[in-house]
Structures are given as C-alpha cells and as structure tokens.
C-alpha cells in the first residue's frame, strides 16, 4: 500500500472485500444499523481483511497500513452524505478520502469502535482521536464512552482501561502527514463555530488544540459508569493503577517535577521489561527487546503540561477511596498469594507507592474544604494500609541480566534519553568488554564524541584492566582504538577537557602506565611527529601539528611535553612554534596535588626536569628564556584557542627566588628571567606580585646585592656572577620597588606598615649602602641610616638622615662613605655633591679633599659595577668643573714644554692623570694583594671604559669644537700632545699590572696610536719632519718597556708607520 497519498490500491481492495462480506452477512440490513451485539457475527470478515493486509506488509511497515486503514474508516464514519451532485463533484476534487471512502459502505461508530477493540488498537485510537480538533475530539470520545457503557463486557472493560492508559501516555506526533490530513478532513466534514473551525496548515498536538484534561475527566466519568462491570482482579488492579497514575501525574505532582535520574530511569525500564518477560499473558511478552523498550519508555515517562480541575481531582480521589475500600481485601489476597507477578500487579504496587508519597505532600500543601480533607485523609489511610498489608516484593527480577541490553537498545535506536544511557554505558564496569558492549560502542561512535563520555570510557578501560578480570588483549586494543577514535574527532577545546581529566585522574604519566602495552608504535609516532615539527615549524602547519600532538599527549603527557621542552631549547628557532603547540592545550596547566613535588605545576616540573640547569650554550639559555616568555604570554594564532601555561608568580617562585644567591650557578639566568617577567607583566591590571610575597622577594634581591660588597673576598667558586651583573640586580630592585609602590593600595594600611618594618629590620643584616638604594621606598616611614662619619663632611638633614656606627668606618672615612653614596645613582650623587662641605677658596682644604678623594676612589673602584663607575666618573668631572678637585700635572712624560693651548683639554688630561694615580695606588705594595686575578681584570675593564670615554670626548671636540671651524685657531698639535700623554699613561699602567689582564689596555693603546696617526697625517703642515722624528723616538722609548715581545713589536711597528 502506498503510504503517501490516500488512493486505491491492492490492500484497499482487500479491505473493500471484507466490508462486502460483512454487508452480505448483515443483509438485508445496512452496516450503518449495526449494534454491538451484531459485531461478533458480522465483523469477522473486516477484522480478517485487516489481519491479512497487516501480515502481507509485516516486513515493511506493519503498523503504518493499520493506521491508514483506520483513518479511512474513521473518515467514512465522519463523512456526511452529499446533498447534491455538485457537492459530490467538489468533494471528489478536494477530499483526499473521497475515492477510497466510496469503496466502503456507509457505517456507524459501532463498526469503528468494535473494530478498534477487536484489533486491540487502543494506541492507534488515541493517536487518531487526539489528532482531531478539540470539539470533535470530545464528541468522539463521548461516543466511545456511551458505546462502552452499553452491554459492557470484560473485553469492553479491558479496552476501556487500555484506552485510558494510552491517553495518559500520549505525547503526539507532529510529523505525521496522515494525521494532518485526517485533522484537515475533520474540519471540512464537521465545520464548527469554535476557535478551531479553521483548519491549520499542519497538524499540531498541543494543549490548546487538543487539551487532555477534559478528556481525562470524561474517562473518569466513564470509569464510574462501568465500575460495577469490572470483575476480574487483573482489571481491578489496572483500573486502580490507572486512577493512581492519573491523579499522580495530572494532579498531585509539583508543577515542575524533577526528572528522575538516568540510573533510576533505566532500573525502572528494566523492572517493567523484566515483568513483561515473566508474564506470558502480557501482549509485549514475545516482542523484540527494542519494541519492549520503546513501549516501556512510554509507561515510565508520564508527564503533564497542565493540571486537572479541582472538582475532577476530588471526584477521582473519592472514587479511589471507594474502590480501594471495595476491592482492597481481594486484591491483597491476590498479591500475597504465591502466584507469579504480572504487569497489572506490578503497576498497582508501583503506582500506589508513588501515589502515597505524593498524597502526603498534597495533604500538607493543598487548600480544601473539611469534607474534602476528610476524604483525602481516609484515602491516604486506605493506601497506607493496603501497602502495609501487601507482602509482595517486586525488587528481585534478575535485572542485572537485562539492564545492559536495555541501555544498549536505547543507544542503538537513539530513543528518549539515549545520551544519558551513553554515560551509564561508558561508566558501567560490569558491562564493559562484552561482545555486545564493544559492538554497541563501535556502531555508535558518533554518540560518544563528547569529552565526558571519552573520559568515562578511558576510566572504565583503566579500571577494568587493573581488575582481575581476564580479557583478551585483542578486545582491549579494539576498545582503546575505538575510544581514541572518538577522542580524535573531538574539537580542540573538548580534547583539552579530556586531557585535563586524564591528568587529574592519572597524573603526568597519563594513560601510559597501563595502556602502553596495548598501543603499538607510539615511540615511532613520537619520533616521526617531532621530526616533522622540527623540519616544518611554520604557521601554516600549526593546526596539523596540534592535531598530531593531541593523540600523543593524551597517552603520554609527561613524555611528550618533556620532549617538546627539550627540542624547543636545543633546536634553534623552534621554541616559538613549539610554544604555540603547547599553549593550544590549556589542560597542561595542571597542578599536582600528590607525589614528590605537590602543588608544582605540570609545565614547571617538565621544564625543571628536562632543561633547567642542563644548558650547554648561551643560545640554549636564550631559547629557554624566550620559551618561558611564550608560555607566559602566548601570541594567539589564527583559528586556534590558546592559553598561558605559566604564570609569572610560579616562574618567579620556581626559577628565580630559590637561585638569588651569588654562589648559585643558575643565578645569572634567574636574573634574566626575573627582568623578563617584570618588564613583560608590569602593565597587568591584576597585581600578580602579591602572590609572590613581594617583600621577601625584595629582601632576597637586597641580600644578593649585599654579597657584591664582599665580592673579591669570596673564593672563585662562590662567585657565579660578575660585578657587571650587579647593575642588572640594581635595575631589577629598582623596578620591583616601583611596581610594589604603585600597588601599595592593594595592601591594608596595617599590612603595609608591618611589611615595611619587617624589611627595614632585615636590612640591618646587610651593608648600609643596600638600604640607601631603598631610600625612596622607605620615604615617609624611616630615615636613611648612614655612617656617622658622613655627617663630618656633609650637611645632612636630621629629618631624613640618621647616623649609625658601622664597622670599618672610623675617623677619616667620611669621604669614603660619601663616595659610596655617590656611586648609587645620579640623583643621590647630585644630592651628596650639593651637601658637601669643602671651602673652594681654601687651597689647603681643597688639597686635603683631593688626596682623600684619590684614596676613597682607590677603595671604592674594585667593587664598582660599570654603572656605578660611570656615576663616579660623572662626579669627578663635576668636581673638576667646580674646582673642588685638584689633580696636579706630572712632568714624567714631558720632554719639553711646548707653547700649547691645553686649556680645552684640561679636564681630559686631569682624568687621565687621575687614572694613572689610582692604579699607582692600587698596584702599590699596600694594595696589590686586595684583588685576585679576575679582580684586576675587572678594574682594567673599568679603566678602559673611562679612557675610552676620554678619547670619545677628544674626538668630539675635534669635530664640534669652535676651533674645528677655524674660529680660534687650530688645536691639532694640542690634541696630539694629549694622545701622547694618554698613551704613556696606559703603558705605565700596563707595566704595573699582571700581563694576563692587560689585553684590553693593549688594544686601547693601539687605538690611541691610530688616533694619533690619523690626526697627524690629516694635517702634515703642522709637524716638521724633525718634530715627527722626535715624537716617534719618544714613543718608542716608552713602548720598549712593554712586555711580552709580541705586544712590544706590534706597538713599535705601529709607531714606525707614522
């Protein structure tokens, strides 16, 4: 039969034949006159015709034809007789049921209802009834109830109870075109004046169009009419169960009841189907499991969108009380007998149990009259008494045997709540690895593409493998493969959810501990993948790389991440690309709570165990710094969500704070990391430093800075930094102080004050100059503590400064303390200079200050960083400008005094002479043991920086001075004289120093000669041949004193080229 348009076909011909035979049996009367008593004799041909057609179409769509046939028959019942030939014409053109309807004789409702009863088609009856417009629907139900009330038989009662039960379970079918046509036809046949008279474009089964509540009230009235004809105990059980369920769902339950859990839902389905399986008389006993599950779902999923009217509810409660009182004893006897449990008995007990619970709540909350309350109380007592006297236990039904099969049937058929069944399926260890379970997983992989399901499957696999169950290895591999396929098809965010779950369940080793033997070729995949990454680290290949890495990282997170960290550091240029891959997995931002290092993040552990302290070249250190930066502040690639895997505070706590000591090999790299973090995160709105305990961090930096004050006293192995690094420490300390001060409001006033006091007290343990560097930090809270001798040479305000006895600062050390202050910063240097008490008009006082300055400079210089030495050089120039410092010229390198204008170069000559005097002092017998060999190298570098700046100043004067434009004469001869003096001073210093530290000075000497040569050749007119020969001879006499031979010969050769 064509299930589309309603037309004449072979099956329709068979049905037509059945009606013709019925007509013959009922002749001379017409079928429209058929009564209920006539049906048994007349209706058999019609029933047989329908059964014949159903059996013929059983392998295709057995229920579809039955539905279509009943629609045609019901349409014939509703079809009015034509009133004119034109009316017939119109219907032939517009009525889809007209042609097939004409093959059926005119019939009445008796034929329809008896046919439905004979076919036991209560479900189809309700489907078709609810498709009708509201007015017609109620009218047809009323016809049915009147039919049932006439000569009511046990079959009538059974069919009535089934119809009532189907009404409660009905949910509608919005997609059925046949029902839509049926509804449209009903509008045309029986036009109505109510709001539903205009047929809609398509069928909609909703409360407004076909409200269930009035229909249930009508059925309740129907029950009252036939209650005396309910004689069988099974039907009495069914009637009470129906009544209890109707009142439960449509009256007593809350307006928005919570859905039962999936586990309870599955257990209830298993109970229902188990009862059906044991009840041979049940119509579903022989049906396939999938069909049983679909029907059981309807039985246990009663819901209501509205409530029964209060008068209907009270009528139902009163009827329930009366029936229980009337039937209770005999039903209890049946329940307590040794007979097996059928579905009616199960439903009765289950429905009354739920009804009793909801009735108690109804009594507590509903408002009702005294008479109504008395009825309800009596009913509640009846129900409690009935259940108390019933000893039947319905729990042991062998549910374990069918629960798994039911869940899998729901999944396979994608029935109601099938996704919830997937979660139970994935987590139920007892079901796992059976052939049916594996087949279900394989057939429905698309349903398991959710992160929680994949994780649940992995948990099940891991737990079963760890148990004592004996499972073939091939099955384990198959399940793992299927699960990983589901994982591979997830989106990247969902993969991260699974990875996060794996890390939390099994830690950094992930699945590798248990699944490695079942996953073949992992090492090969790992090597191949990383080789590809190293060779093609491009933005275009990022998405592909992330996909490849996703499968590896879920199995062996620790191995994969450590490998990536190692490659990122050792393979030049790969760190950014690999960092982008890593940051595509925010789940790796995982913190261990157990193990040897609890509360350490996974990424930190991998970095520390793989690369930290294992760098072999500066390039590797640089790549590590950049890798950490990329992991803290990732650059988002197009189309891939990423997240930082490292936080600034944890990097500081793990890679910086523990290593801020001069004797730690990693201190240099930690400082670079520190400044990188501060500069990269200084603009963050959130004050992240708070979590790092900023004041202890400040003290750690101060303590490191303090260790530089004893730098050359420490053995070589205890000095893992150079003095040049002191500038970096000072810069970090300054930046850190600025950040903390800028966020002072994040501390409570009390906490801020206590923290400042704590730091101030801790600084007492350190050199006093360290505390002076925090002058601005403590401003307004504490005074600056300095040696008392500083007050002897400075006018210090007691409001800001306070004196304190310091070891090593006895009488006459005021100038030493003053110079140490000046080396701290340019601002402190200017302040100290402004506060200095020296009478420039008193030559003796200037002479004494100059001697003291030289001694202090000798004492301070070896412990100066390059920046500190630069501050002192600037200070020296200012003192010379103010004529507070006197540096007398020496005649030791002057053969004759030419008539030269040396005034423009006076400061440069004085600085050069001062450098010579400082080194004469340092190399004297009293000071020569101060420094180790690398200490001498350090002071030589400082000296070279000073002399280089002098050379730069001289060259600048040559280029920009007024004499360069010929305004005040030519100064070439004076410049050559200054070069000569500087050359002599440098060689003098080289002669005093160990040869192994003189290389920078040797290079500087060559540079001075180059400057001399260049200038002398550009102006040949100023030097006569005799003068040039004299100068060459003089320079050679100085250079001859230099060793070793190679340096001496090179210098002499350079001089010969003039």
């Amino acid at each position: 039969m064509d299930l589309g348009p309603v037309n004449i076909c072979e099956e329709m011909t068979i049905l037509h034949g059945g009606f013709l035979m019925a007509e013959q049996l009922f002749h001379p009367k017409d079928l429209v006159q058929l009564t209920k008593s006539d049906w048994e004799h007349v209706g058999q041909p019609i029933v047989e015709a329908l059964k014949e057609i159903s059996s013929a179409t059983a392998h295709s769509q057995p229920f579809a034809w039955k539905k279509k046939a009943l629609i045609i028959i019901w349409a014939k019942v509703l079809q009015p007789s034509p009133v004119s030939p034109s009316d017939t014409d119109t219907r032939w053109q517009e009525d889809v049921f007209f042609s097939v309807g004409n093959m059926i004789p005119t019939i009445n409702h008796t034929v329809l209802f008896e046919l439905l009863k004979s076919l036991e088609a209560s479900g189809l009856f309700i489907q078709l009834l609810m498709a009708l417009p509201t007015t017609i629907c109620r009218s047809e139900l009323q016809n049915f109830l009147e039919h049932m009330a006439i000569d009511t038989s046990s079959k009538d009662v059974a069919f009535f109870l089934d119809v009532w039960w189907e009404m409660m379970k009905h949910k509608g079918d919005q997609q059925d075109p046949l029902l839509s046509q049926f509804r449209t036809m009903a509008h045309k046949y029986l036009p109505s004046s109510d709001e539903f008279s205009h047929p809609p474009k398509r069928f909609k089964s909703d409360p407004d169009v076909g409200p269930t509540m009035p229909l249930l009230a009508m059925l309740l009235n129907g029950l009252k009419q036939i209650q005396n004809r309910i004689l069988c105990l099974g039907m009495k059980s069914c009637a009470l169960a129906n009544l209890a369920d109707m009142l439960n769902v449509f009256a007593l339950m809350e307006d928005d009841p919570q859905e039962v859990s999936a586990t309870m839902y599955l257990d209830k389905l298993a109970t229902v189907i188990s009862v059906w399986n044991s009840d041979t008389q049940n119509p579903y006993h022989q049906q396939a499991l999938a069909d049983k599950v679909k029907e059981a779902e309807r039985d246990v999923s009663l819901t209501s969108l509205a409530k029964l009217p209060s008068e209907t509810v009270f009528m139902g409660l009163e009827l329930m009380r009366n029936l229980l009182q009337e039937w209770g004893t005999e039903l209890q006897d049946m329940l307590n007998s040794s007979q097996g449990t059928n579905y009616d008995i199960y439903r009765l007990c289950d429905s009354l149990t739920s009804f009793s619970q909801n009735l108690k709540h109804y009594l507590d909350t509903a408002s009702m009259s005294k008479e109504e309350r008395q009825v309800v109380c009596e009913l509640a007592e009846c129900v409690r008494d009935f259940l108390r006297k019933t000893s039947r236990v319905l729990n042991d039904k062998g549910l374990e045997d069918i629960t798994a099969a039911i869940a899998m049937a729901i999944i396979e058929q994608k029935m109601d709540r099938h996704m919830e069944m997937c979660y139970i399926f994935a987590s139920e260890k007892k079901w796992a690895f059976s052939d049916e379970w594996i087949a279900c997983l394989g057939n429905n992989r698309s349903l398991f593409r959710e992160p929680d399901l994949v994780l649940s499957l992995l948990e099940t696999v891991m737990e079963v493998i760890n148990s004592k169950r004996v499972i073939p290895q091939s099955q384990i591999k198959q399940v793992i493969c299927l699960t990983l396929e589901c994982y591979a098809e997830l989106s990247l965010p969902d993969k991260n959810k699974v990875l996060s779950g794996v890390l939390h369940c099994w830690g950094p080793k992930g699945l590798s501990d248990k699944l490695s033997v079942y996953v073949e070729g992992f090492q090969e995949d790992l090597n191949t993948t990383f080789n590809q990454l190293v060779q093609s680290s491009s933005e275009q290949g990022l998405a592909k790389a992330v996909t490849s890495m996703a499968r590896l990282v879920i199995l062996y997170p620790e191995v994969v991440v450590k490998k990536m960290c190692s490659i990122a550091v050792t393979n030049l240029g790969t760190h950014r690309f690999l960092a982008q891959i890593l940051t595509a997995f925010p789940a790796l931002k995982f913190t261990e709570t157990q193990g040897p290092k609890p509360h350490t993040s996974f990424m930190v552990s991998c970095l520390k165990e793989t690369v930290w302290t294992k760098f072999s070249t500066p390039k590797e250190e640089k790549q590590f710094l950049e890798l950490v930066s990329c992991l803290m502040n990732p650059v988002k690639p197009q189309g891939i969500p990423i997240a930082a895997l490292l936080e600034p505070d944890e990097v500081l706590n793990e890679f910086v704070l523990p290593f801020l000591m001069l004797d730690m090999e990693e201190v240099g790299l930690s400082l670079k990391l520190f400044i990188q973090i501060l500069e990269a995160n200084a603009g963050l709105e959130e004050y992240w430093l708070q979590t790092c305990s900023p004041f202890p961090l400040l003290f750690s930096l101060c303590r490191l800075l303090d260790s530089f004050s004893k730098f050359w006293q420490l053995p070589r192995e205890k000095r893992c930094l150079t003095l040049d690094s002191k500038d970096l420490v000072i810069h970090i300390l300054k930046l850190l102080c600025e950040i903390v001060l800028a966020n002072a409001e994040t501390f409570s006033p009390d906490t801020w004050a206590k923290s400042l006091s704590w730091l101030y007290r801790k600084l007492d343990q350190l050199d006093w100059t360290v505390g002076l560097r925090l002058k601005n930090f403590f401003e307004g809270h504490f005074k600056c503590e300095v040696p008392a001798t500083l007050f002897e040479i400075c006018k210090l305000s007691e409001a800001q400064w306070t004196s304190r006895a310091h070891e090593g600062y006895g009488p006459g050390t005021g100038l030493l303390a003053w110079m140490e202050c000046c080396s701290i910063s340019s601002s402190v240097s200017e302040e100290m200079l402004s506060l200095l008490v020296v009478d420039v008009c008193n030559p003796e006082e200037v002479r004494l200050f100059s001697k003291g300055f030289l001694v202090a400079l000798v004492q301070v210089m070896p412990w100066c960083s390059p920046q500190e030495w630069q501050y002192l050089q600037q200070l020296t120039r200012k003192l010379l400008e103010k004529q507070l410092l006197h540096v007398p010229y020496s005649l030791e390198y002057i053969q004759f005094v030419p008539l030269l204008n040396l005034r423009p170069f006076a400061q440069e000559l004085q600085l050069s002479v001062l450098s010579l005097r400082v080194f004469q002092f340092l190399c004297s017998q009293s000071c020569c043991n101060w420094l180790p060999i690398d200490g001498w190298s350090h002071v030589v570098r400082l000296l070279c920086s000073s002399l280089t700046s002098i050379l730069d100043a001289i060259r600048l004067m040559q280029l920009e001075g007024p004499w360069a434009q010929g305004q005040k004469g030519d100064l070439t001869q004076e410049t050559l004289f200054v070069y000569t003096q500087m050359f002599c001073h440098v060689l003098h210093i080289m002669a005093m120093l160990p040869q192994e530290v003189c290389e920078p000075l040797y290079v500087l000497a060559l540079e001075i000669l180059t400057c001399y040569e260049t200038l002398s050749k550009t102006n040949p007119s100023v030097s006569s041949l005799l003068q040039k020969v004299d100068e060459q001879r003089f320079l050679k006499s100085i250079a001859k004193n230099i060793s070793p031979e190679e340096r001496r010969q090179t210098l002499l050769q350079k001089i010969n080229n003039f």
Side-chain angles (χ1 to χ4, degrees), residues 436-487:
E436 297 79 11
W437 188 86
I438 295 173
C440 182
L441 177 61
N443 295 336
N444 299 278
R445 283 196 303 274
S446 60
L447 297 179
F448 289 87
R449 291 172 192 165
E450 290 194 6
D452 291 340
L453 284 173
V454 173
L455 188 59
S456 187
L457 284 170
L458 289 172
E459 289 174 351
T460 298
V461 170
M462 294 288 277
E463 189 167 327
V464 173
I465 289 174
N466 287 337
S467 68
K468 296 179 180 179
R469 283 175 58 182
V470 179
I471 302 170
Q473 190 165 343
S474 60
Q475 286 190 342
I476 296 175
K477 285 184 178 180
Q478 186 180 0
V479 171
I480 293 171
C481 182
L482 289 171
T483 305
L484 291 179
E485 283 180 23
C486 294
Y487 167 77

Side-chain angles (χ1 to χ4, degrees), residues 605-855:
S605 296
C606 289
L607 288 168
K608 289 180 82 171
E609 293 171 22
T610 308
V611 294
W612 183 246
T613 74
K614 299 178 178 65
F615 308 106
S616 56
T617 64
K619 284 185 177 179
E620 289 186 3
E621 289 189 0
K622 183 181 179 183
Q623 293 224 144
F624 171 77
L625 291 172
E626 292 183 2
L627 174 65
V628 171
S629 176
C630 291
L631 294 176
M632 279 195 301
N633 303 289
V635 178
K636 184 178 180 181
Q638 189 173 0
I640 297 179
I642 59 171
L645 297 183
L646 292 175
E647 294 297 333
D649 55 337
E650 66 176 337
V651 176
L652 279 181
N653 287 326
E654 296 290 341
F655 295 106
V656 176
L657 192 54
F659 304 97
L660 289 181
M661 288 172 279
L662 195 58
D663 58 350
M664 298 293 292
E665 289 185 12
E666 299 79 16
V667 61
L669 186 57
S670 292
L671 288 172
K672 292 176 184 176
L673 203 52
F674 201 163
I675 190 64
Q676 178 176 285
I677 294 168
L678 289 180
E679 290 176 348
N681 297 281
L684 287 182
E685 292 183 10
E686 184 181 356
Y687 181 46
W688 58 272
L689 263 175
Q690 187 79 294
T691 58
C692 303
S693 303
F695 282 87
L697 196 56
L698 282 167
F699 178 67
S700 295
L701 279 171
C702 291
R703 188 173 54 191
L704 176 60
L705 194 57
D706 175 70
S707 61
F708 285 102
S709 64
K710 314 174 193 66
F711 193 79
W712 301 120
Q713 290 91 315
L714 298 172
R716 181 69 188 88
E717 61 274 9
K718 296 287 185 180
R719 290 184 269 116
C720 296
L721 289 173
T722 65
L723 264 172
D724 292 12
S725 304
K726 185 179 179 183
D727 287 333
L728 179 58
V729 178
I730 293 168
H731 176 60
I732 293 172
L733 181 62
K734 179 183 176 184
L735 191 57
L736 187 60
C737 286
E738 289 173 357
I739 294 172
V740 175
L741 276 176
N743 292 276
E745 69 278 359
T746 62
F747 297 83
S748 68
D750 183 56
T751 303
W752 178 254
K754 287 180 179 178
S755 299
L756 283 175
S757 298
W758 175 86
L759 182 60
Y760 190 78
R761 288 194 307 272
K762 294 289 284 184
L763 291 181
D764 284 346
Q765 309 167 14
L766 310 180
D767 188 79
W768 66 273
T769 56
V770 177
L772 190 57
R773 292 187 185 277
L774 272 67
K775 180 174 179 286
N776 294 335
F777 194 75
F778 290 123
E779 193 170 13
H781 296 273
F782 298 101
K783 297 179 182 180
C784 295
E785 288 190 353
V786 293
T789 54
L790 184 60
F791 281 79
E792 297 172 3
I793 64 165
C794 284
K795 295 178 180 178
L796 297 175
S797 166
E798 292 187 0
Q800 296 180 351
W801 303 82
T802 181
S803 63
R804 182 180 174 185
H806 285 274
E807 186 179 351
Y809 290 85
T813 58
L815 199 51
L816 171 64
W818 180 81
M819 187 169 288
E820 287 180 299
C821 290
C822 292
S823 69
I824 286 175
S825 68
S826 57
S827 59
V828 174
S829 178
E830 289 174 6
E831 185 178 3
M832 288 294 108
L833 188 59
S834 66
L835 298 173
L836 182 66
V837 180
V838 176
D839 186 3
V840 70
C841 297
N842 186 334
E844 184 61 23
E845 194 168 332
V846 171
R847 187 180 66 81
L848 288 173
F849 171 78
S850 300
K851 285 185 176 181
F853 180 86
L854 177 61
V855 173

Side-chain angles (χ1 to χ4, degrees), residues 119-137:
L119 295 173
E120 297 179 349
S122 56
L124 273 175
F125 174 48
I126 292 300
Q127 273 193 47
L128 303 184
L129 180 71
M130 298 302 287
L132 294 171
T134 303
T135 306
I136 304 172
C137 175

